[in-house]
Amino acid sequence: MHFVPRFALAFGLIPALFCPIDSQGQQSSIPQKSDEKPKPQVRPNDAGAAIPTRFDLLRGIYGPFRANNDLLYYHLDIRVDPETKTIRGKNTIRFRMLREGNRIQLDLDEALSIDKILLGSETLKFERDTGAVFIDFPRTLRGGQVYSIEFYYSGQPKETGRFGGITFKKDPAGRTWINTACEETGASIWWPNKDQWRDEVESMDISVAVPNGLTDVSNGHFVGKTDLDDGYTRWDWHVSYPINNYDVSLNIGKYEHYSDKLGDVPLDFYVLPEDLERSKPQFAQAKGMIEAYQHYFGPYPFAKDGYKLVQAPYSGMEHQSAVTYGNLFKNGYLGRDWTGVGISPRFDFIIIHESGHEWFGNAVSAADHADMWIHEGWTTYLESLYVEYRWGKDDALKYLSGYRPKVHNLRPIVAEREVNADLTEDQYFKGALMLNTLRSVVNDDAKWWTLLRGFYGEFKYKNILTEDVIAYFNLHTGMNLTPVFNQYLRRAAIPRLELLFGEAPGTVMYKWDADEQNFAMPVRVGKPGKWQTIQPTTKWQTMKTRLPKDELQVDLDHFYVDVNSR
C-alpha cells in the first residue's frame, strides 16, 4: 500500500510495539519493590538519541529510488535450516512504477548474500551500500506499468537488537525454536524488502520450508502444508491486507494448535506442548479484548486473516494477525503490576497491548519511524479504554495515572524524519496521557467516541504522519488543537499552569507557561466534585475564588500538566 500524501488528506489524517522491556524480559525502567511507589529512572534513549549510522540514513530517507515505485505484492518463499542457522530462498516483489526510471532501492543486511535478482529470465545488476541494495534495469521502466522481480538470497542472518531480530534458539525442552522480532533493526535483517514504513504491499504470500516435525506460524490465514519429500515441509500463509515489513513473522517450533471463533473472526492459538493447558484460561482473554476494541473502533481489521496468539521466547510483539506472546501466562507485565496502581494484575498486559496494535500500528500506520507515537501512544491509550470498557472510567483514569512516573519529558516525542530516528519511550506513556487530556479538552464523551471511531475509520490501511492526525482533529472538533498537539509531541516539556495568589483577596492570577506560541487549553481547577473550567492562555488572567492556595487544586486526573502555585 503506497503512502497517502499529506496534501491529499489535508482535512483529516494520521504503522509493532516494542514493549518497553529488554531482551531478558525486564522492564526498561529499573523495577521497584511491589510495596514502593515507582521512582523515575531515566532511560538512555530518553536522555538522548543515538547518532544515525549510514544505513539508518539510507534506510530512513525516502529517496528517489524508493519514491519512483509503489509496492503491490511480496511472495517470500524460503527454506530455514535450524542446524546451520541459515536461510535461503527468494522474495518475489511486484511493484508499479510511478514515473519513468531504471533504478530502484531495496534492502538486505550485509551479512546475507544476494545470489541473483531476476526480471523474468534476465539477470539484473545491483550495487550494495551497507544494507541498501540499488537495482539497475537494462531498459527504462515506464510510469504506470507493473513489474515483478525475483530476489534470491541466502546466508546466516545475524542476531541483533532488543529481541534479536531473528533468533535460532531451543525451547525449554531442547527443541528447535526460531522466531523473529525486528521492528527496531528492520525486516531486512533477515529478508529482502523495501525496508521503510511509507509504502506497504497490498497483500502477501509467505512460504516457509522447515524440517519435518516443526511448524511455521506466520501472518495471514493458513493455506496449507506440503511435504517436499526431502525431510522438509512447506507451510503456506496468505496475507489479505496491507502489512508492515517488520510485522512479517516466522515462528518455527514444536507448536500445539487449538482454535475458537468470535463471530466470523477465527481465533487460533499456538503454544509449546508443555504450556497447552495453562495457556487456555489466559488466552481466553483475547475474546474480551477484541470485543472491547471493536466497541470503540469497529470490526477487527484483519477478519479474513483471523487473529492468532503465538508463544515466543520474548515478551511480545504486534505481528499482524499473528501476535507473539511471552508473558509467562500471567496477568500484569511478566507477573508485575505494570502501572503500580493495582489495575494491571486484572489482565494480561501483553495480550491487551500487543493486540491493540492490530488497530493502531498495523491497520493505522505511521509513514515514518519518527511518528511512531501513532503506534505506541495510541495503543497505550487503548489499554485504558480496555480498562474503561471492563471496569469503568474511574479505574481507567487510575490506570493512566500510573504512567505519569514513567514520563521524563527530556526530548520531544516526534523526532527528525527520514533518518530512522531513535525515539524516546515517552511516546508510549506521554502519548497516552496526551490523548486522555485531549478527551478532556473536547469535554463531550459522545463526541469523543465519534471522533475516535471516525479517525480510525478514515485512516485504516493507510500510512500517515502526525500532521494528518492534527488536521483530522482540528477539522472534526472545530478547534485549533495544533498548539496543543505540538506542545506535547514536538516540545520536551508539558504545559505548566502558573497560579499566582495574593495580588488581591479572593483572587488568583493564572496563565500557561508553554514553549508553543499561542498555546491555549482549557483546564479544570477547584476541588473534586466542584471543578470549574478556566481558559488559560500564555497571558495572565484573573479569576475569583474562595479557596486558599493550599486548597485550590488542578484536575490532574483528566489533564496531563504541571502546576506551579505561588
Side-chain angles (χ1 to χ4, degrees), residues 225-283:
K225 62 178 181 176
T226 304
D227 190 331
L228 301 178
D229 296 325
D230 60 357
Y232 274 70
T233 297
R234 188 184 70 234
W235 297 76
D236 293 307
W237 303 84
H238 178 72
V239 180
S240 306
Y241 304 87
I243 186 169
N244 304 324
N245 293 323
Y246 70 79
D247 269 338
V248 176
S249 179
L250 301 182
N251 297 280
I252 300 168
K254 182 66 174 178
Y255 282 112
E256 294 286 340
H257 167 238
Y258 59 99
S259 61
D260 200 349
K261 292 193 78 173
L262 178 61
D264 294 330
V265 179
L267 311 177
D268 290 278
F269 308 101
Y270 295 85
V271 296
L272 299 178
E274 297 79 8
D275 295 318
L276 178 61
E277 292 308 317
R278 69 172 179 155
S279 74
K280 290 179 179 179
Q282 201 71 8
F283 284 6

Side-chain angles (χ1 to χ4, degrees), residues 380-400:
T380 303
Y381 181 64
L382 260 61
E383 298 166 24
S384 74
L385 296 185
Y386 174 78
V387 173
E388 183 163 346
Y389 181 79
R390 290 290 309 278
W391 298 289
K393 186 175 182 180
D394 288 347
D395 278 354
L397 292 172
K398 183 179 179 182
Y399 181 83
L400 282 167

